Amino acid sequence: MTSRSTENGRVLLYEPEACDVSVLLADADPVSRHVLATALDGADRITVLDTADSGRPLHRWPLDGVDVVVLADAFRPRPASLVPGLVHKGVRVLLLDTRWTARTVGDALAAGCAGVLVKDPEIGRLAAAVRAAAAGYVVVSPELVGLCPPARRTATPAPARPRGDRSAGRRLRSLTEREREVLTVLAAGLSTREAAGRLEVTPATVKSHVSHALAKLSVRNRLEAVLLMRQALDEDRPPWS
C-alpha cells in the first residue's frame, strides 16, 4: 500500500500517516492467532493488546483500550455476525478471509466494518490496513474492489441537486484521457504500483492523476471514483465514447 495523506475520503486502498494503534486479534485457530499477533505486534506503532477465540461470546472478549479488532477467518462459521456488536461498542473491525464473494463483501460493509481484506501472509499490508482503520478510513483489499456493491438505490425521491451539480456522465467526460485510463486500470482491481507498471509510469504519477480525477468527479475518495468508473464501463456505451 502506498501513501496519500491529502485525501479526505473514508475509503483507503493505501497507507495513511502512522499513528499508535491498539489491536485485538480474534481467530478461532490458536496457532493462527499466535502467528498473526506476533507478526503484527512487531509492526511500527501497533500494539496487540490481546487475542481472543472468535468462537467465544463477545462479552468475554478483552476489548478495554482496543482501537481495532482484526477478525480472521470471518465466515467460519459465525464471526462475521459479531460485527454489529463490536461496532456498537465503538470498535473498528477489520475482517480477514480467503473466500470473499460480492455478497459477503456487501454484507460486511453494510454491517459497519472498517475493512474487508484478503487474508495475506504479507504482514505489511495488514499493518497498513490497521493504521488506516484506526484513522477512520474503510479499507478494501485491491483484489476485492470489483466485489464492492454500487451505491444502494432507494424508493424515495432523490433530493434536488445543488445548483451547478453535473451528472455522472458529464463529470466522467471532464476527465482527461489519461485520467480515465488510470481509473479504468484501477477499476480492474490493480494496486497503485501495479497500475503504474501497466501504464509504464511511476506510482506518484498514478496518484497525481487520481487526485485530479477526485476533484473533477466530486467524489470523496479513490473507491468512489473507481466504482463510478466501473458503473460507466458496464454500460453499453460509456458516456465519453
Side-chain angles (χ1 to χ4, degrees):
M1 295 187 183
T2 56
S3 175
R4 284 181 55 87
S5 59
T6 60
E7 191 166 322
N8 295 321
R10 289 190 317 110
V11 181
L12 198 72
L13 302 183
Y14 34 80
E15 181 180 1
E17 294 180 358
C19 58
D20 294 318
V21 185
S22 296
V23 174
L24 173 71
L25 182 64
D27 194 329
D29 182 349
V31 175
S32 177
R33 281 202 306 272
H34 175 74
V35 171
L36 283 174
T38 300
L40 193 56
D41 200 29
D44 186 39
R45 308 192 72 166
I46 292 178
T47 301
V48 178
L49 293 183
D50 211 333
T51 64
D53 181 346
S54 57
R56 291 188 174 185
L58 194 58
H59 70 268
R60 298 182 62 184
W61 290 24
L63 293 172
D64 288 346
V66 170
D67 300 310
V68 177
V69 169
V70 176
L71 184 52
D73 289 329
F75 302 102
R76 191 195 315 174
R78 57 177 284 276
S81 64
L82 301 171
V83 170
L86 290 166
V87 172
H88 181 70
K89 293 177 180 293
V91 178
R92 306 283 288 171
V93 183
L94 290 176
L95 292 185
L96 275 63
D97 210 289
T98 57
R99 299 165 295 172
W100 289 103
T101 65
R103 178 176 179 178
T104 56
V105 168
D107 288 348
L109 295 176
C113 277
V116 290
L117 306 172
V118 174
K119 196 172 184 181
D120 193 318
E122 177 51 59
I123 202 65
R125 296 183 65 180
L126 178 56
V130 166
R131 296 189 193 101
Y137 294 88
V138 174
V139 188
V140 180
S141 286
E143 302 93 327
L144 301 180
V145 170
L147 299 181
C148 289
R152 297 176 186 272
R153 297 182 181 180
T154 65
T156 58
R161 293 190 174 201
R163 185 177 180 84
D165 188 24
R166 297 178 292 171
S167 68
R170 289 186 63 192
R171 284 180 282 151
L172 285 166
R173 286 196 297 273
S174 74
L175 300 179
T176 66
E177 182 177 355
R178 194 56 159 174
E179 287 163 355
R180 286 196 296 268
E181 187 176 17
V182 167
L183 289 183
T184 298
V185 173
L186 295 176
L190 275 67
S191 67
T192 298
R193 186 175 298 278
E194 290 168 337
R198 173 76 63 84
L199 300 173
E200 298 183 343
V201 298
T202 67
T205 298
V206 170
K207 290 187 285 183
S208 177
H209 285 308
V210 171
S211 180
H212 293 152
L214 296 184
K216 293 179 181 179
L217 295 175
S218 299
V219 295
R220 296 170 299 175
N221 51 65
R222 168 172 157 169
L223 182 59
E224 288 184 0
V226 167
L227 292 179
L228 191 63
M229 177 59 73
R230 285 184 60 84
Q231 291 171 3
L233 292 172
D234 286 340
E235 298 178 4
D236 292 334
R237 184 180 180 185
W240 58 85
S241 61

